[in-house]
Amino acid sequence: TLDALVALRQTRAQAQADHQQTHYAIMLFRRELLPDLADYLASGERRVQSWQARHHPADVVFTDPPHAFMNLNSPEDVSRAERWLTA
Protein backbone atom coordinates (compact mmCIF):
# COMPACT_ATOMS: atom_id res chain seq x y z
CA THR A 1 0.00 0.00 0.00
CA LEU A 2 0.97 3.64 -0.17
CA ASP A 3 1.47 3.66 3.62
CA ALA A 4 4.07 0.92 3.31
CA LEU A 5 6.03 2.84 0.69
CA VAL A 6 5.91 6.06 2.68
CA ALA A 7 7.15 4.23 5.79
CA LEU A 8 10.00 2.64 3.85
CA ARG A 9 11.18 6.08 2.72
CA GLN A 10 11.45 7.07 6.38
CA THR A 11 13.31 3.95 7.57
CA ARG A 12 15.38 1.12 6.14
CA ALA A 13 13.08 -1.76 7.13
CA GLN A 14 9.51 -2.34 8.16
CA ALA A 15 7.30 -5.08 9.49
CA GLN A 16 3.68 -5.57 8.52
CA ALA A 17 0.92 -5.77 11.10
CA ASP A 18 -2.80 -6.23 11.34
CA HIS A 19 -5.20 -5.34 14.14
CA GLN A 20 -4.03 -8.31 16.23
CA GLN A 21 -0.27 -8.75 15.84
CA THR A 22 2.90 -7.96 13.93
CA HIS A 23 3.88 -10.40 11.17
CA TYR A 24 7.66 -10.10 11.13
CA ALA A 25 8.22 -12.40 8.15
CA ILE A 26 6.14 -10.06 5.99
CA MET A 27 8.41 -7.09 5.47
CA LEU A 28 9.95 -4.62 3.10
CA PHE A 29 13.53 -3.51 3.43
CA ARG A 30 16.06 -1.62 1.39
CA ARG A 31 18.44 -3.61 -0.79
CA GLU A 32 21.38 -2.12 1.07
CA LEU A 33 20.45 -4.38 4.01
CA LEU A 34 20.80 -7.63 2.01
CA PRO A 35 24.48 -8.21 2.95
CA ASP A 36 23.65 -7.73 6.63
CA LEU A 37 20.72 -10.16 6.37
CA ALA A 38 22.92 -12.71 4.58
CA ASP A 39 25.56 -12.41 7.32
CA TYR A 40 22.89 -12.77 10.00
CA LEU A 41 21.53 -15.96 8.43
CA ALA A 42 25.03 -17.33 7.76
CA SER A 43 25.79 -16.97 11.48
CA GLY A 44 23.00 -19.46 12.20
CA GLU A 45 20.43 -16.95 13.36
CA ARG A 46 16.86 -17.41 12.11
CA ARG A 47 14.61 -14.98 14.03
CA VAL A 48 13.62 -12.30 11.53
CA GLN A 49 12.30 -10.15 14.38
CA SER A 50 15.77 -10.01 15.96
CA TRP A 51 17.39 -9.01 12.68
CA GLN A 52 14.76 -6.34 12.05
CA ALA A 53 15.25 -4.86 15.53
CA ARG A 54 18.84 -4.00 14.59
CA HIS A 55 17.46 -1.68 11.91
CA HIS A 56 14.63 -0.03 13.87
CA PRO A 57 11.78 -0.98 11.52
CA ALA A 58 8.62 1.01 11.10
CA ASP A 59 5.34 -0.85 11.53
CA VAL A 60 2.71 -0.51 8.84
CA VAL A 61 -0.72 -1.60 10.02
CA PHE A 62 -3.21 -3.14 7.62
CA THR A 63 -6.76 -3.16 8.93
CA ASP A 64 -8.72 -3.75 5.74
CA PRO A 65 -9.52 -6.50 5.09
CA PRO A 66 -9.37 -7.62 8.71
CA HIS A 67 -8.25 -11.15 7.79
CA ALA A 68 -5.42 -10.16 5.45
CA PHE A 69 -2.87 -12.08 7.52
CA MET A 70 -4.76 -15.19 8.56
CA ASN A 71 -2.67 -18.08 9.86
CA LEU A 72 -3.60 -21.33 8.14
CA ASN A 73 -2.04 -23.95 10.37
CA SER A 74 -4.87 -26.44 10.73
CA PRO A 75 -7.86 -27.79 8.80
CA GLU A 76 -10.08 -25.62 11.00
CA ASP A 77 -8.10 -22.53 9.97
CA VAL A 78 -8.57 -23.44 6.30
CA SER A 79 -12.31 -23.92 6.84
CA ARG A 80 -12.53 -20.52 8.54
CA ALA A 81 -10.67 -18.91 5.61
CA GLU A 82 -12.96 -20.59 3.09
CA ARG A 83 -16.02 -19.28 4.95
CA TRP A 84 -14.54 -15.79 5.02
CA LEU A 85 -13.76 -15.87 1.29
CA THR A 86 -17.27 -16.98 0.34
CA ALA A 87 -19.11 -14.62 2.70
Side-chain angles (χ1 to χ4, degrees):
T1 69
L2 183 57
D3 290 343
L5 295 175
V6 169
L8 191 58
R9 288 184 64 130
Q10 298 169 354
T11 187
R12 295 184 337 157
Q14 67 185 41
Q16 306 300 312
D18 63 17
H19 62 286
Q20 295 178 343
Q21 68 186 49
T22 299
H23 300 273
Y24 295 98
I26 302 171
M27 63 179 159
L28 294 174
F29 59 90
R30 294 179 182 254
R31 293 177 64 108
E32 66 197 44
L33 296 179
L34 280 173
D36 186 62
L37 178 59
D39 291 344
Y40 179 80
L41 295 172
S43 75
E45 296 290 337
R46 294 291 179 259
R47 292 195 69 222
V48 174
Q49 180 181 0
S50 297
W51 176 79
Q52 287 176 352
R54 295 166 35 170
H55 301 289
H56 311 288
D59 285 336
V60 177
V61 178
F62 290 85
T63 57
D64 187 37
H67 305 295
F69 297 102
M70 292 181 79
N71 287 319
L72 302 176
N73 299 315
S74 69
E76 294 80 17
D77 293 339
V78 173
S79 294
R80 189 169 40 254
E82 289 171 340
R83 286 192 303 273
W84 176 74
L85 287 170
T86 59

